[in-house]
Amino acid sequence: MLGVMKSFGVVLPLRAVPRRQYFFTANGFRPRQRNLQRAQGIRQATTEAGEENSGHINAGPNEGILFFDNVFPLKLRWLLRLPFLHADRSIPELIKRLNNPHIATADPMSIIQRSIPPKAPLKVTEILPRLKEGGAFVKFSHDPGITAAEIEGTLREYLRGKPVKPWFSPFTRVRTYLVRGKPWLEDLYRFPSSRLRVEFIPTDPGGQAAELSQETLYSLFRQYGKLADIATQPADSKVLPKYAILNFIRVRQAIMAKNCMHGIVISPGEGGGKAGTVLKLVYEPKVKAHWIRDWLVNHPRFVIPVLAALIATFTVAVFDPIRTFFIKAHVTHSFHLTDNKLYKWFVTQANRANDILRIRQQRSEDPGFNAIWDDRKGDIEQIRTWLMETADTFIVVQGPRGSGKRELVIDQALKDRKPVLVIDCKPIQEARGDSATIRAAAAEVGYRPVFSWMNSMSSLIDLAAQGTIGTKTGFSETLDTQLAKIWQNTATALKQIALEGRKKTDKDFELGADEYLEAHPEKRAVVVIDNFLHKSQEGSVVYDKISEWAAAMTTGNIAHIIFLTNDVSFSKSLSKALPDRVFRQIMLGDCSPEVAKRFVITHLDADSDDNLAGAQKLTASQRRDDITELDGCIETIGGRLTDLEFLARRIKTGETPKKAVHQIIEQSASEILKMYILDVDKASRKWSPEQAWLLIKQLATSDVLRYNEILLSDIYKSNGESILQALEQAELITIITSNGRPYSIKPGKPVYQAAFRLLTEDRVLKSRLDLAITSELIKAETASIDKYEAELNLLAGLPKQPAELVPRIEWLLGKLQGCQKKVEEYERESGALKKVLQAEY
């Protein structure tokens, strides 16, 4: 039987068309215009949206519709989502151009042509491609003596005997079924799925549709492919229209069922109810398509920790090498302009060309410290010797503030030593908040990039997750964890720096890295930790991490560690990190009067004018008539370097030594009043103004106080030792120890002795503060009297007074009498002090 093709109104014998003469578009198979002549009475060709874009294709009497699958590859249906590409027209042409023109099976037209037997009793009148469903509708006509179902059976038998397999699916043959319903040919963005939703619609509006059973649905749809499951609508569901879900094994089986059964009317005899039921089929997106996303969203207890681990791994892999590089650059001063060779050359040439600049450079150096370094030359050489040894312990330089610890170590002992890393604990300890502390610690070692703000954000995320899932996710990290990362990267960078100078020609090149650094202590870096234990009473997290890291650096032979501290109790903190080591210590004190005088005179002579006329040139100190006052002034202010330097600067401005010392004493007295007495916040500081004033008053008359005598005073009875330690931390006093035991108290600075005397000479101030002390003492004695009276009342309430209670009662009465005498004495003192306050300004 010859088939015919109708496109643009032209009817042609199907088999008479030469091979490859047809091209394929969304309007069906059309003959090329150059080979065909138009016929009269043409009818508009259909598109993928059906006849006249109505969405349907109709079959009249003696006509039928077949659906062929596996004509197009389903993998190309994603191209239909592109708005600028007319895929229904472009893709068929693209397939033809990409295929070999000599292979007949490559043409989609050839696939359908070969799927119909040559003697089939039908005439093809129309072909409608369904690109997104990978098939095509074929409309045909047949003789009245044969039914469409018989033609379907003939074609299916033919395809089983002679399977047609396209090039894009060599293991799957083309199948065809008769369209029993009224297919909906839509071109919406709805794509095939192996899951079908079967809706039960009444045949007449307002009628009632029957809900088909699973057995009926199975008998209707099993012919198109194996069904995995049939799910009917829950009985309590109020969703209309009623529906059922069919799950096919393969997508092409669902496509065939949908195109052949959509719109079919189930008669009452087949279970469709009284008036029949229409089946509407749509593709149901599978929930499994997003199962990974849904699982991730629904299991945060597992997902969030894994995500945190992945982020941490990424950070270590990507950012740690960058941070190590910046730390090395910070230690070696790679990006510092002053250490650049070209910059140094320019400075040298400029100094040679300009004598003024050269003279200024010479004067910019501080010659006054030469006398100090000459006096402390033994300490400098001792530090240098320790740095050449392999002992794995700390070097500690302890001294009061202003004693020149930093200058001694960095400017003298490490003057020609590289590399040197200086870590100042003061900005780290004074930072407010974890983020600021992390930024300060990173800045000290050159650790960058640092995302300190992430710590706060991750803490909020962790808190929200804990409230949601009940457990911590691990996103947030504590401050000590963040600091440990910074110190660990610093250790890695210092070790790499120490090993950079190693060459293959060295005799000990075969040694491992640790053995090499142990054998060559001179190759190790030097880490100077300044202001160690600064404000340690506010928190010890920072110092604990630094101590642990320093211990690991020392025992690992990576670097020499030098601590600079004002705190005399440093051994308590460092012993936690290195409990089995003896520290190497250098205690710096105040300069002797002879060295202090040389220091001041050298400062004065540094500005002497070399251009004065005359054969004999005098220094600045020799030209001053008041230089003889310097001995008494130095005895007053002591040998603290900061005070001596301040004195020298004031003398340079033209003041006499006595006037300069008097100004220094007055300034120190004002600082003492502000810091220890007037502006004392009891909530943040452990001492009271009365306790500080008692020490000031007693030290004004005596250079040294007995430590235990102060503890026995009434005002220091409660928590006295901790108060004295707090005052030492605040540098009001200095506690002298002997064999580890505190035994005496001195002023925190030598100049404080004179400042204390100046404060006690102020009668109004002295009376005011003494009155506050007596008031505190009266309160204490009154509280003791109340306690004794309460016990006496208790004893008096007993029904009998045994003889054994007589000694106790006498003791209580004696204590009561003693307290009363003290109260009366304090009251007399208070009266005298009040008279002074009332009479004087």
Side-chain angles (χ1 to χ4, degrees), residues 20 68 85 250 294 463 654 676 723:
R20 306 298 296 171
F68 288 82
L85 178 64
R250 297 179 181 177
D294 295 340
L463 182 62
Y676 306 105
I723 294 173

Side-chain angles (χ1 to χ4, degrees), residues 705-758:
L705 300 178
R706 296 181 184 88
Y707 182 83
N708 294 316
E709 183 181 0
I710 297 297
L711 292 179
L712 292 175
S713 61
D714 293 336
I715 203 167
Y716 278 94
K717 283 183 178 180
S718 176
N719 204 18
E721 287 195 275
S722 63
I723 294 173
L724 292 177
Q725 291 175 3
L727 289 171
E728 184 187 25
Q729 292 287 342
E731 299 183 356
L732 176 66
I733 60 174
T734 299
I735 298 176
I736 310 301
T737 60
S738 176
N739 298 323
R741 176 185 64 84
Y743 75 95
S744 64
I745 298 175
K746 289 185 177 181
K749 296 169 64 175
V751 73
Y752 278 1
Q753 185 80 34
F756 292 162
R757 295 194 191 99
L758 181 63

Side-chain angles (χ1 to χ4, degrees), residues 35-94:
N35 294 332
L36 302 174
Q37 298 180 354
R38 283 186 173 272
Q40 300 296 326
I42 64 173
R43 188 178 63 177
Q44 292 295 326
T46 59
T47 66
E48 190 165 323
E51 296 176 351
E52 301 297 336
N53 290 329
S54 63
H56 295 92
I57 179 172
N58 298 313
N62 298 327
E63 287 186 337
I65 303 173
L66 293 169
F67 183 78
F68 288 82
D69 72 345
N70 213 16
V71 177
F72 296 99
L74 285 176
K75 299 299 182 182
L76 294 179
R77 65 177 182 267
W78 61 272
L79 292 173
L80 296 173
R81 299 179 184 269
L82 302 179
F84 55 86
L85 178 64
H86 298 284
D88 56 343
R89 298 186 180 93
S90 304
I91 295 177
E93 283 292 332
L94 180 62

Side-chain angles (χ1 to χ4, degrees), residues 74 77 191-197 226-229 245-255 257-258 282-288:
L74 285 176
R77 65 177 182 267
F191 297 94
S193 169
S194 61
R195 186 182 179 93
L196 287 179
R197 179 187 178 102
K226 183 172 177 56
L227 288 165
D229 186 26
I245 302 296
L246 303 181
N247 288 295
F248 284 89
I249 296 297
R250 297 179 181 177
V251 177
R252 288 194 179 274
Q253 296 171 354
I255 293 172
K258 189 257 185 187
V282 293
Y283 295 116
E284 182 79 5
K286 298 184 64 175
V287 180
K288 189 178 179 180

